[in-house]
Amino acid sequence: MATFKAIRIDKADKGTTAALVQFDEAELMDGDVTVRVDWSTLNYKDGLAVTGRSPVVRRFPMIAGIDFAGTVEQSSHPQWKPGDQVICTGWGMGETHLGAYAEKARVKGDWLVALPKGLSAREAMAIGTAGFTAMLAVIALERHGLTPDRGPVVVTGAAGGVGSVATAVLAKLGYHVIASTGRAAEADYLKSLGAAEVIDRNELSAPAKPLAKERWAGGVDSVGSTTLANLLSMTKYGGAIAACGLAAGMDLPASVAPFILRGVCLLGIDSVMCPVEARKAAWNRLASDLDRAKLAEITREIGFDQVFDLAPQILAGQVRGRVVVKIS
């Protein structure tokens, strides 16, 4: 059997190790579709896996990488045939199933989504899991009834992957976007994406009051912890916050007051096990509602070997926008 390049995570005496190796195709896990991976991305969870700073990898050896875009090489699944261009995100890739940082991947056909018409594989991974998650959050807010005339919306971690896409999408849809960031130097960048205001994350870092002054009708939060608690306390009557991240921690030091006195809703966003129909809807929305020129502006490209250098940087909040990884 052939071998191919892959970033392999192995268990070590203390923690894990990560290295670019030749991986034997015979060691790929079960699946009914084999894909030539063309592009992947660098996400926060990828940073954790490659650096070993958090035990996200639960099977060894593991190929890192939680999302890819590529071309079907072999398929016994009725929906897919060789030559089809596909996207795969989540489903435990890079955690329990061999992942995307490899020239080949074998997955279940039910995990795949067709590359939307008009979107290139590189653009799909410029969006990646982060942008897909951001779109799921926007759709959840819309289903809650949020519209631009309800008032401003807030986006936390706005200079990161999820935040950048959420800011750009919400701005294009006509919302007054308040972007929260800990990097003051990124203000011009965020305004170029469509943010109407940029605030310092310190405004949301103090212990949250049960109820604070109403500031926004809704928001997208990728930070969690005290930041999310503050967002909820400042949300207008009947508003909602879509929560999809935990960069600041998994705790939520909040009060029930916003929920029972203002009717605020906390909308949980999961992109890993999201049903396929919801995935298709989100990707189709991204193809139409995300400004392609802005996507290009927030994206940079790296090679396989540069993942190791950027992994610690994304964990430190030093990576702006999106990073695509050229695989094949």
Side-chain angles (χ1 to χ4, degrees):
M1 297 290 284
T3 63
F4 53 85
K5 286 193 302 181
I7 292 180
R8 174 172 164 155
I9 312 291
D10 285 290
K11 190 76 173 171
D13 291 338
K14 292 184 179 180
T16 61
T17 60
L20 184 59
V21 302
Q22 287 293 321
F23 198 90
D24 193 324
E25 188 173 345
E27 294 184 41
L28 285 174
M29 296 171 70
D30 289 342
D32 48 13
V33 180
T34 302
V35 178
R36 184 188 76 238
V37 179
D38 298 316
W39 296 92
S40 186
T41 64
L42 180 66
N43 299 285
Y44 192 85
K45 191 178 286 186
D46 298 321
L48 292 174
V50 171
T51 61
R53 291 190 190 173
S54 180
V56 295
V57 176
R58 297 192 291 276
R59 175 197 184 277
F60 297 95
M62 175 55 62
I63 294 175
I66 65 171
D67 51 12
F68 68 72
T71 306
V72 173
E73 286 193 339
Q74 295 177 317
S75 173
S76 59
H77 190 283
Q79 187 176 344
W80 308 109
K81 64 183 186 303
D84 287 343
Q85 290 191 289
V86 293
I87 300 167
C88 192
T89 64
W91 300 115
M93 283 198 305
E95 299 175 78
T96 58
H97 191 93
L98 296 178
Y101 288 165
E103 292 177 308
K104 287 192 179 184
R106 184 174 296 137
V107 297
K108 295 179 181 180
D110 290 342
W111 294 357
L112 299 172
V113 173
L115 183 71
K117 194 171 183 179
L119 199 67
S120 71
R122 186 185 187 280
E123 287 174 327
M125 285 298 99
I127 295 167
T129 290
F132 168 61
T133 304
M135 192 71 242
L136 290 175
V138 171
I139 291 171
L141 290 170
E142 290 176 339
R143 287 179 177 163
H144 181 74
L146 189 67
T147 53
D149 60 2
R150 293 279 301 276
V153 292
V154 63
V155 176
T156 64
V162 173
S164 293
V165 175
T167 297
V169 169
L170 288 165
K172 186 178 179 184
L173 292 173
Y175 289 89
H176 179 103
V177 179
I178 301 172
S180 168
T181 181
R183 295 179 268 173
E186 302 292 9
D188 288 342
Y189 163 76
L190 292 168
K191 288 179 179 178
S192 75
L193 295 181
E197 301 176 51
V198 179
I199 63 174
D200 193 293
R201 69 182 175 196
N202 289 332
E203 293 187 32
L204 305 171
S205 62
K209 298 177 181 178
L211 287 176
K213 182 181 177 181
E214 295 174 278
R215 296 181 64 177
W216 31 71
V220 177
D221 176 58
S222 61
V223 178
S225 191
T226 302
T227 294
L228 178 54
N230 274 291
L231 291 191
L232 292 166
S233 76
M234 299 175 185
T235 299
K236 294 183 177 184
Y237 189 93
I241 300 295
C244 57
L246 44 71
M250 294 185 68
D251 61 321
L252 181 56
S255 161
V256 297
F259 308 122
I260 64 175
L261 297 178
R262 287 185 181 160
V264 170
C265 286
L266 177 58
L267 309 174
I269 306 300
D270 167 59
S271 63
V272 176
M273 304 304 291
C274 177
V276 169
E277 289 307 312
R279 290 173 183 268
K280 292 177 182 177
W283 279 105
N284 287 332
R285 284 287 301 276
L286 284 160
S288 63
D289 290 352
L290 181 58
D291 187 313
R292 219 63 63 78
K294 283 189 170 61
L295 179 64
E297 289 172 10
I298 70 174
T299 304
R300 63 167 154 158
E301 180 182 322
I302 65 171
F304 239 158
D305 55 347
Q306 293 172 278
V307 167
F308 301 102
D309 294 329
L310 254 62
Q313 294 180 34
I314 198 168
L315 299 185
Q318 297 170 349
V319 173
R320 169 206 278 185
R322 302 290 296 125
V323 176
V324 292
V325 183
K326 186 171 176 60
I327 304 294
S328 297

